[in-house]
Amino acid sequence: MSAPTPCPADIDAVDCRALLATGHVGRIVYTRWALPESRPVGYAWDRGRILFTVDDPAVARAIVGNAVAAFETDGFDDASARAWTVLAVGETFELAAAEAVQLRPRLRGPWTGGPSATALALLPARLTGLRTRHP
């Protein structure tokens, strides 16, 4: 007999925020030259905003220059074999220099950008998510 297949279940905005607070790596999705692009980033969840850095100034301009961008992160628990994903959609903007300096120590992992990376934020207008659940 085979194991039951996990079914996706919606995650409400409150739980999406809680999950965003636990993560450190995600993907920023934006449009550049009329085509979608995605880039991994180290991030921090701070006062309802997703804060991250980007090394390439042209990419930073593309992210901020569009009307909307998306951010996606996910997680997997090996012990329970359960997974989740959260998608945030909203406007992006560049952080002020003082806030960018405060952000740097909060970013962890290989996708945090170098010392001259541009610090950006995404303010979610919409948060959605899915988690696996067993039938």
Side-chain angles (χ1 to χ4, degrees):
M1 189 179 277
S2 65
T5 303
C7 301
D10 289 334
I11 303 172
D12 65 28
V14 171
D15 287 342
C16 285
R17 288 182 195 92
L19 288 167
L20 281 166
T22 68
H24 303 289
V25 176
R27 284 150 297 285
I28 185 72
V29 182
Y30 56 98
T31 304
R32 185 171 172 195
W33 299 309
L35 295 172
E37 286 194 15
S38 174
R39 181 170 290 244
V41 294
Y43 80 94
W45 176 250
D46 181 71
R47 296 175 293 169
R49 305 170 304 166
I50 298 162
L51 310 179
F52 59 98
T53 60
V54 175
D55 274 324
D56 186 334
V59 170
R61 284 191 301 276
I63 292 169
V64 173
N66 289 297
V68 70
F71 176 84
E72 191 273 337
T73 188
D74 47 51
F76 180 76
D77 179 3
D78 284 324
S80 68
R82 297 201 178 218
W84 58 268
T85 184
V86 170
L87 178 68
V89 178
E91 293 185 48
T92 56
F93 57 92
E94 188 169 346
L95 294 177
E99 193 169 19
V101 169
Q102 292 174 347
L103 167 64
R104 177 69 54 195
R106 296 182 58 200
L107 297 177
R108 297 190 284 166
W111 302 108
T112 58
S116 63
T118 305
L120 304 175
L122 184 140
L123 182 60
R126 187 178 80 202
L127 279 173
T128 58
L130 290 172
R131 77 172 85 234
T132 59
R133 62 176 175 77
H134 296 280

